[in-house]
Amino acid sequence: MLPQHKRVLAAYKRIKDKVVTIQWESAWTEESEVLDRLEAERTKHPDDPIYDSLFQFRAQVSGLSRLERLQLSAASCIGFFYLLTKYFVTRVEPGPRADVAYFYSVAIFPQIRQEEHVLAKVPLDAGKLRLEDVAFLLTTLVRLRLCFGVMSIAAHRVAQARFAIDRHNVTELWTTMEYSAACGITRAYCNRHEVHMANFMHGEKVLTLRDAFCSFDSYFVWSAHHREIVETLGCRGEVFVENPWTSGLIKQTETQKACYFLKGTETSAEINNISMVLEELRAAGYEVAFKAHPRRPIDVSPLAAFTAIDTEVEVTSLLVDLQLVIAQYSTVLTEAWFMGKNVLLDDTSSPELARSLADRRYFLLQQTERVTKTSTLQNRSLDESA
């Protein structure tokens, strides 16, 4: 039996994972009804980004049971006051000046933008809260009627922003947090300190309540289709189209190389079906390989007959030498398509996922060039179908 506090943390993590995971088994028609209802309620509140956070959180937890919501609220209440204490007593030493702070990989941002700014990376666990920041968070907590679920996330995000301001004196915050219900509160905080909050799309986007009501000063997406998706979801702020993959990365090759990118949640039945797909490609003359998901390891022993690409290999450099890129659903597919590669959508290994992707207006299912589905191949060659 786990100690009580570990059991609580385990339950909290399970619920949090559920909140930020797309519910593929749900129909978008059902979720859109929830979105319409929340949109109507949102109009009754002030045009303040903190309410965008409240409604994004309400959208995300709409599928939770009453017990799960109570568990999430209780754990978040403890976490909120813990973070206030932790970051309030933290000291921040001045660091090198920069005009932009970011938190994850710099590779997410277009190279041309990086060259125009001085960037500083903020460690994910770094944070600082001044007395005025604590007051802002407590006031926001009251305004949102003690919604600890969103405030515990916001406490960390605001502390990150304060750390960036105090250490680097930044005027812009570059984020990748459209899935985080804290983005609206963080935006409101940044605006108080004259810091522009820009978000950069860093993963494929489909219609999902998870990203509804996300709020930024600027939001950069990969295509007009993705802009339509985020606007349908009620995104607040200006949305711009900016493709991060430049033509300089495109390299057409004569090699018959193909690679399957796993999503890391495949069942044994899916893996067996993927093995058959790869075998068919090999029979068609391709050099076949696969790449496991770097953070979600699964049993891939049925794929032992094919070359396994090291999970640490950088994706973009790998794509350059491929002629065909295969997956069920992956950002890699979209990146490859923008780089001019042929992509093969595996819609037979998990028909349920394929139906949900169509329901949620998946970008590649809207394209007619260089996109093929395994269900339509039959006896046609890949060159004919592409």
Side-chain angles (χ1 to χ4, degrees), residues 26 65 134 139 145 200 260 275 283:
S26 300
S65 67
V134 173
T139 301
R145 298 185 179 182
F200 292 79
Y260 195 115
S275 178

Side-chain angles (χ1 to χ4, degrees), residues 13 28 41 68 70 86 102 104 115 135 137 152 163 178-179 203 210 233 245 290 348 356 362 374 377:
K13 185 179 185 305
W28 171 246
E41 292 182 34
E68 287 174 323
L70 286 173
K86 173 186 175 181
Y102 69 99
Y104 293 97
E115 295 170 356
L137 289 167
S152 62
F163 181 94
E178 61 270 20
Y179 59 88
R210 182 193 65 179
L233 293 174
W245 299 293
F290 71 92
T348 53
S356 187
Y362 178 33
T374 54
L377 282 181

Side-chain angles (χ1 to χ4, degrees), residues 92-97 162-169:
V92 178
E93 298 297 331
R97 292 180 66 89
R162 168 56 73 185
F163 181 94
I165 294 170
D166 282 3
R167 182 167 176 79
H168 302 292
N169 197 29

Side-chain angles (χ1 to χ4, degrees), residues 22-216:
I22 298 174
Q23 303 304 307
W24 297 110
E25 68 280 2
S26 300
W28 171 246
T29 51
E30 297 174 1
E31 291 190 13
S32 64
E33 291 177 359
V34 176
L35 179 61
D36 290 343
R37 174 172 54 80
L38 292 175
E39 278 278 16
E41 292 182 34
R42 177 67 184 89
T43 60
K44 300 175 183 177
H45 291 73
D47 187 19
D48 186 320
I50 70 167
Y51 292 102
D52 298 333
S53 277
L54 175 64
F55 279 87
Q56 182 169 9
F57 178 75
R58 289 180 60 183
Q60 290 178 345
V61 302
S62 61
L64 297 184
S65 67
R66 180 173 297 181
L67 177 59
E68 287 174 323
R69 295 189 193 194
L70 286 173
Q71 291 175 316
L72 179 60
S73 181
S76 298
C77 176
I78 296 171
F80 175 72
F81 289 107
Y82 166 76
L83 292 174
L84 288 191
T85 304
K86 173 186 175 181
Y87 290 129
F88 183 69
V89 300
T90 300
R91 298 187 62 182
V92 178
E93 298 297 331
R97 292 180 66 89
D99 57 326
V100 173
Y102 69 99
F103 305 101
Y104 293 97
S105 170
V106 71
I108 295 169
F109 312 118
Q111 186 62 39
I112 189 171
R113 285 195 171 274
Q114 296 181 41
E115 295 170 356
E116 295 172 346
H117 298 276
V118 178
L119 276 63
K121 184 175 183 179
V122 175
L124 291 177
D125 59 348
K128 169 63 184 174
L129 291 174
R130 294 185 182 182
L131 185 59
E132 63 186 273
D133 306 327
V134 173
F136 167 79
L137 289 167
L138 290 175
T139 301
T140 303
L141 175 66
V142 173
R143 293 179 67 189
L144 299 188
R145 298 185 179 182
L146 305 185
C147 184
F148 286 103
V150 70
M151 291 308 303
S152 62
I153 313 168
H156 176 61
R157 296 294 190 173
V158 167
Q160 285 183 316
R162 168 56 73 185
F163 181 94
I165 294 170
D166 282 3
R167 182 167 176 79
H168 302 292
N169 197 29
V170 299
T171 56
E172 293 188 39
L173 206 62
W174 288 3
T175 67
T176 53
M177 56 185 289
E178 61 270 20
Y179 59 88
S180 173
C183 58
I185 295 172
T186 309
R187 177 188 179 189
Y189 175 81
C190 286
N191 290 168
R192 288 166 62 101
H193 296 276
E194 299 184 339
V195 172
H196 184 91
M197 186 176 177
N199 193 75
F200 292 79
M201 178 176 167
H202 69 296
E204 185 55 82
K205 292 287 167 279
V206 294
L207 293 171
T208 170
L209 284 174
R210 182 193 65 179
D211 299 345
F213 302 102
C214 61
S215 184
F216 310 99

Side-chain angles (χ1 to χ4, degrees), residues 229-242:
I229 289 289
V230 300
E231 289 177 346
T232 299
L233 293 174
C235 171
R236 267 57 178 177
E238 290 191 85
V239 182
F240 302 92
V241 175
E242 189 170 271

Side-chain angles (χ1 to χ4, degrees), residues 146-363:
L146 305 185
C147 184
F148 286 103
V150 70
M151 291 308 303
S152 62
I153 313 168
H156 176 61
R157 296 294 190 173
V158 167
Q160 285 183 316
R162 168 56 73 185
F163 181 94
I165 294 170
D166 282 3
R167 182 167 176 79
H168 302 292
N169 197 29
V170 299
T171 56
E172 293 188 39
L173 206 62
W174 288 3
T175 67
T176 53
M177 56 185 289
E178 61 270 20
Y179 59 88
S180 173
C183 58
I185 295 172
T186 309
R187 177 188 179 189
Y189 175 81
C190 286
N191 290 168
R192 288 166 62 101
H193 296 276
E194 299 184 339
V195 172
H196 184 91
M197 186 176 177
N199 193 75
F200 292 79
M201 178 176 167
H202 69 296
E204 185 55 82
K205 292 287 167 279
V206 294
L207 293 171
T208 170
L209 284 174
R210 182 193 65 179
D211 299 345
F213 302 102
C214 61
S215 184
F216 310 99
D217 294 318
S218 302
Y219 187 178
F220 296 92
V221 298
W222 299 338
S223 71
H225 172 85
H226 293 110
R227 177 169 58 192
E228 184 179 336
I229 289 289
V230 300
E231 289 177 346
T232 299
L233 293 174
C235 171
R236 267 57 178 177
E238 290 191 85
V239 182
F240 302 92
V241 175
E242 189 170 271
N243 181 357
W245 299 293
T246 65
S247 58
L249 294 174
I250 299 176
K251 175 185 175 184
Q252 298 295 346
T253 62
E254 297 300 325
T255 58
Q256 291 282 103
K257 291 184 178 180
C259 184
Y260 195 115
F261 290 82
L262 300 175
K263 64 182 188 293
T265 57
E266 289 85 355
T267 64
S268 58
E270 288 178 62
I271 291 294
N272 288 332
N273 194 85
I274 290 168
S275 178
M276 290 188 288
V277 170
L278 295 183
E279 192 57 56
E280 290 178 7
L281 290 173
R282 175 184 282 171
Y286 282 87
E287 295 179 30
V288 180
F290 71 92
K291 189 174 186 293
H293 195 281
R295 296 183 301 279
R296 296 195 289 265
I298 57 173
D299 177 20
V300 293
S301 54
L303 304 180
F306 309 101
T307 302
I309 304 296
D310 192 316
T311 57
E312 298 301 317
V313 173
E314 200 274 323
V315 170
T316 301
S317 61
L318 174 60
L319 291 178
V320 168
D321 291 321
L322 295 176
Q323 184 181 35
L324 183 67
V325 182
I326 318 108
Q328 294 182 51
Y329 172 72
S330 173
T331 296
V332 176
L333 281 178
T334 306
E335 180 177 354
W337 188 85
F338 275 117
M339 290 175 65
K341 302 294 180 178
N342 293 326
V343 301
L344 177 60
L345 284 172
D346 179 3
D347 63 342
T348 53
S349 293
S350 177
E352 296 81 8
L353 174 61
R355 285 192 292 270
S356 187
L357 286 170
D359 184 38
R360 295 171 182 276
R361 291 168 55 192
Y362 178 33
F363 171 74

